Amino acid sequence: MHHRTVAELMTRQVVRARRDLPFKEIVKLLADNDVTAVPVVDELDRPMGVVSEADLLRKSADQADPSGRTPIPHLEAWERAKAEGASAEELMSAPAVCAHPEWTVVEAARLMEVHGVKRLPVVDETDKLQGIVSRSDLLRIFLRRDDAIREEINRDVLRQTLGLAPSDVTVVVREGQVSLDGSVEFRSLIPIIERLCRSVDGVVSVSTHIAYRNDDARSSAAGT
C-alpha cells in the first residue's frame, strides 16, 4: 500500500522569518502572505522555532485595558518575557517541532497531537527547512475519491497482501466509510483485513460483515 508522505502534502514555498525580524515586520509578513504563523530560521535556514499570531497577541493581552473592563491576564515568567519581546527570536515558540519529508500522515499527526501544535516545519537530514505541513494539509487525504479507496483495498489489501480472490470479500465505500461483506477461510483473518483497511489513506471507518468457515482461534485455544 502507498501511504501519502509529508513530502506529498507539505507546502514547499515557505514564508519564513529571520531571527532578528522586528515585531511589526512579523505582523506585516503574516498579513501580506495570509498565514497565521511562520517558522523562524537561523543563518543556515534551520528552524529555531515558530512565531504565530498567538505569540504576537500576547503583547497586546499584557497591556492594561484603558476601559478597566477586563483584568490583565496572569502570565508565567516565560510568557511575560515573550510578551516583552521585540524580535522573532524573542517572540517565537521554541524549539521548533519538525517533521521529515518521508514521514507518513500518521507520524506527523501524532507529533502534532503530542506537542499540541498546528503545523510542523519540514527539514532534511541537515535540518534545513524544506517545507511546512499543517493540520489542514494532513486532512487532505480524506478528500480521496471513494472509488480510489475501494480500488486500493481490493488490489493492495485483499489480493496482493492477503491473496484473497475477488469473490471472497466485497468492498463498498461511501464517503470514506468502508463496508466489507463476504466469507473467508479462517476467523483470524477478519481482524487483519479490518486493520489493514483502516490503514488505507482516506478511510474514515470500517464495518465488517465477513463470515468464516473455520474457527482457528478456538482451535488454537483448545490446543494450548
Side-chain angles (χ1 to χ4, degrees):
M1 294 181 290
H2 171 67
H3 292 292
R4 278 67 189 168
T5 64
V6 167
E8 295 175 83
L9 299 169
M10 70 183 185
T11 298
R12 295 180 180 273
Q13 301 300 319
V14 187
V15 181
R16 67 256 278 169
R18 303 185 314 273
R19 63 198 301 173
D20 60 348
L21 193 67
F23 181 95
K24 287 191 174 183
E25 289 299 313
I26 302 171
V27 176
K28 186 175 187 300
L29 185 66
L30 297 181
D32 288 350
N33 292 277
D34 193 26
V35 294
T36 59
V38 292
V40 180
V41 296
D42 64 14
E43 294 75 11
L44 297 177
D45 205 30
R46 297 175 302 193
M48 303 169 58
V50 173
V51 62
S52 67
E53 290 176 335
D55 295 317
L56 301 179
L57 280 172
R58 191 173 284 113
K59 183 176 291 292
S60 295
D62 193 40
Q63 305 301 313
D65 178 9
S67 69
R69 286 189 292 267
T70 57
I72 297 177
H74 171 73
L75 297 179
E76 300 293 340
W78 66 271
E79 292 177 304
R80 189 164 301 281
K82 288 180 64 174
E84 295 171 355
S87 67
E89 185 173 7
E90 295 169 337
L91 293 158
M92 69 184 182
S93 297
V97 181
C98 299
H100 291 275
E102 69 276 11
W103 284 12
T104 65
V105 170
V106 172
E107 290 173 301
R110 285 179 177 173
L111 190 65
M112 284 186 184
E113 183 68 20
V114 167
H115 289 275
V117 296
K118 298 179 180 180
R119 61 196 63 80
L120 300 169
V122 183
V123 297
D124 63 14
E125 63 278 2
T126 65
D127 291 332
K128 287 189 176 180
L129 186 64
Q130 300 295 303
I132 192 164
V133 65
S134 67
R135 293 188 298 190
S136 60
D137 293 326
L138 300 184
L139 287 172
R140 277 163 43 201
I141 64 168
F142 293 104
L143 297 178
R144 290 189 75 194
R145 300 189 318 276
D146 288 342
D147 57 350
I149 296 172
R150 183 175 59 252
E151 180 182 352
E152 183 171 344
I153 291 174
N154 277 320
R155 182 191 64 239
D156 295 350
V157 175
L158 301 180
R159 294 203 295 272
Q160 294 184 5
T161 302
L162 299 176
L164 296 175
S167 58
D168 289 335
V169 177
T170 301
V171 182
V172 175
V173 184
R174 293 190 180 94
E175 299 295 325
Q177 300 176 59
V178 178
S179 178
L180 305 171
D181 292 271
S183 177
V184 295
E185 183 66 27
F186 298 107
R187 180 182 180 182
S188 61
L189 190 58
I190 297 174
I192 296 174
I193 295 173
E194 183 174 348
R195 185 174 66 252
L196 290 176
C197 288
R198 289 186 185 279
S199 71
V200 171
D201 286 350
V203 170
V204 175
S205 64
V206 177
S207 61
T208 56
H209 310 280
I210 301 175
Y212 54 87
R213 293 180 288 277
N214 290 294
D215 189 350
D216 56 335
R218 179 178 297 179
S219 300
S220 298
T224 57

